Amino acid sequence: LFSAVAVGRAQVQQEPSAETTEGTGVSISCSHPNILSNELIHWYCQLPGQGPAFLVNSHKGSKELTDPPGRLSVAADRRSSALWLARPRRGDAAVYYCTVGD
C-alpha cells in the first residue's frame, strides 16, 4: 500500500507494504529521525494511474483526516509519525508517501 521516499538530507523510511481488509483500520508508520525543528511531516496518496495527492500534514501531535477517515499522529520527539486509516475501502488501496519539509 505504500513505499519509502527520501527527501534531501532528511532520510524517510517506511515499511514496503501493509495489508488490511475493507473496513478494518490500518496504521502506516514513517520514520524521519533527521527532521529539523521547522519542518512539517507531509503525507500523500497515489492511486493507480494517478499522480500523488496531498492528504495531510502536521508539525506535532495528532490531526484528523476526513477523506479517507483517519488520523495523523506525530511522536513527541517528531522522529516518527503514523497515518491511521480508520475505515479503509477497496478504493483506498494506493501508495502512501511520507515526506518532510517546509
Side-chain angles (χ1 to χ4, degrees):
L1 288 178
F2 59 89
S3 64
V5 177
V7 181
R9 46 106 219 118
Q11 186 68 32
V12 173
Q13 297 177 333
Q14 294 178 251
E15 294 296 321
S17 64
E19 293 183 13
T20 189
T21 56
E22 190 168 16
T24 301
V26 62
S27 182
I28 305 171
S29 60
C30 181
S31 173
H32 27 80
N34 299 321
I35 191 169
L36 299 178
S37 61
N38 64 318
E39 290 180 316
L40 290 170
I41 297 109
H42 308 269
W43 282 82
Y44 296 85
C45 171
Q46 186 170 8
L47 294 167
Q50 299 182 23
F54 173 76
L55 285 178
V56 63
N57 64 20
S58 183
H59 185 264
K60 60 182 178 179
S62 181
K63 196 168 187 179
E64 294 300 313
L65 183 63
T66 57
D67 186 24
R71 183 178 66 254
L72 171 62
S73 299
V74 178
D77 63 6
R78 297 188 2 98
R79 294 185 178 188
S80 64
S81 61
L83 183 68
W84 169 254
L85 302 180
R87 296 179 300 279
R89 301 162 299 194
R90 187 177 300 271
D92 295 326
V95 178
Y96 290 85
Y97 297 95
C98 167
T99 70
V100 298
D102 297 334

